[in-house]
Amino acid sequence: MHTLIRTEVLKLRTVRSPWLLLAAAPLLVIAGISGLVLSSGGTFPEAGSQANALAHVGLTSLFTIAFGILAVAGEYSHKTITDTYLSTPARGRVIVAKLAVYAVCGAASGIVASLVGLVTAAAWWSDKGVTFSWGDSSMWATIGGSIAWNAAFAAIGVGLGALVRSLVGAIATALAWIALVEGIIGQLIGNFARWLPFNAGQALGAGTRAMTTSQSLLPRWGGGAVLALYTLAFVILAVSTSMRRDVS
């Protein structure tokens, strides 16, 4: 297994597209925090504004799920999956290695986005003449939840890539689910939407504003538990499907 993990790390080191994708995550955090501060006007800072600012880190999971999809669907797209499975016929172990490596990278991406977010928020607070509280427990809970959200979505992305196999199809499926399906279900069935993956992630990485004004989100621990179950389900499906399905 260690050899497979080293192989996956080597593959990531030799391609640029996954890293370019993750490089957009800190830019989203900077834009989100800046927009939050500029739109607050004379009410800055609101109660819990630090946690709300750092909640933008969780939204970078949109990039980590696409990053995870590249792990398997990208190999199918570039026709390298055959060589991968010929060199390691134990397909289940290959998928598990990908899941481990990409989940860690997803968490690392969340950490980098959090550091960028902290620097950006502290700079804005200083510019506004407001003391930035580094001991804000709600902010750190939001950051921790957001990092876990990024790791979980990277693993889910690996699973989705193994199930769909088409790179474009898998990314389109993920984005359509997040942008359309969960929203439609939320409008039609109400609180049922909070049990779906993206909403569970939002609960896990939510700021104080979302936790106090939205009745549709699970509590933070509930969102984490639900997202963990979804991640486990995708892991099982990815491994079992990859072991049974023909490569071509």
Side-chain angles (χ1 to χ4, degrees):
M1 183 59 71
H2 289 173
T3 301
L4 290 174
I5 289 175
R6 287 197 298 268
T7 301
E8 289 302 322
V9 172
L10 179 61
K11 289 178 182 178
L12 278 173
R13 289 172 54 190
T14 57
V15 291
R16 285 180 292 181
S17 53
W19 302 113
L20 292 175
L21 182 65
L22 292 186
L27 301 179
L28 174 62
V29 174
I30 292 172
I33 293 175
S34 300
L36 177 68
V37 173
L38 293 174
S39 64
S40 62
T43 62
F44 183 86
E46 298 176 338
S49 56
Q50 290 186 194
N52 293 329
L54 271 298
H56 290 90
V57 174
L59 297 179
T60 63
S61 59
L62 294 172
F63 297 108
T64 56
I65 194 171
F67 174 74
I69 288 171
L70 285 170
V72 186
E75 287 213 45
Y76 278 102
S77 176
H78 293 97
K79 310 299 183 183
T80 59
I81 193 68
T82 301
D83 293 334
T84 297
Y85 285 152
L86 284 175
S87 61
T88 309
R91 298 181 186 182
R93 298 181 64 191
V94 172
I95 299 299
V96 169
K98 289 180 181 292
L99 286 162
V101 170
Y102 279 76
V104 169
C105 288
S109 175
I111 292 171
V112 172
S114 298
L115 293 174
V116 171
L118 286 168
V119 171
T120 303
W124 273 113
W125 262 242
S126 177
D127 180 71
K128 296 292 185 178
V130 180
T131 301
F132 189 80
S133 176
W134 292 95
D136 187 340
S137 60
S138 62
M139 176 187 73
W140 290 110
T142 296
I143 289 174
S146 296
I147 293 171
W149 183 5
N150 273 271
F153 261 42
I156 288 174
V158 173
L160 184 59
L163 293 171
V164 178
R165 299 201 296 182
S166 165
L167 180 59
V168 174
I171 292 178
T173 298
L175 295 181
W177 178 272
I178 293 169
L180 298 175
V181 176
E182 291 204 15
I184 292 172
I185 291 177
Q187 292 180 356
L188 296 178
I189 314 180
N191 281 343
F192 178 76
R194 65 181 181 167
W195 299 97
L196 300 177
F198 189 74
N199 279 310
Q202 281 189 302
L204 182 58
T208 57
R209 177 183 298 173
M211 298 302 289
T212 57
T213 62
S214 176
Q215 300 300 316
S216 63
L217 291 179
L218 294 166
R220 197 184 304 277
W221 68 267
V226 170
L227 193 58
L229 289 175
Y230 276 113
T231 304
L232 179 60
F234 271 94
V235 168
I236 293 172
L237 287 172
V239 172
S240 60
T241 301
S242 298
M243 291 175 65
R244 296 195 312 265
R245 183 188 292 174
D246 290 337
V247 175
S248 57

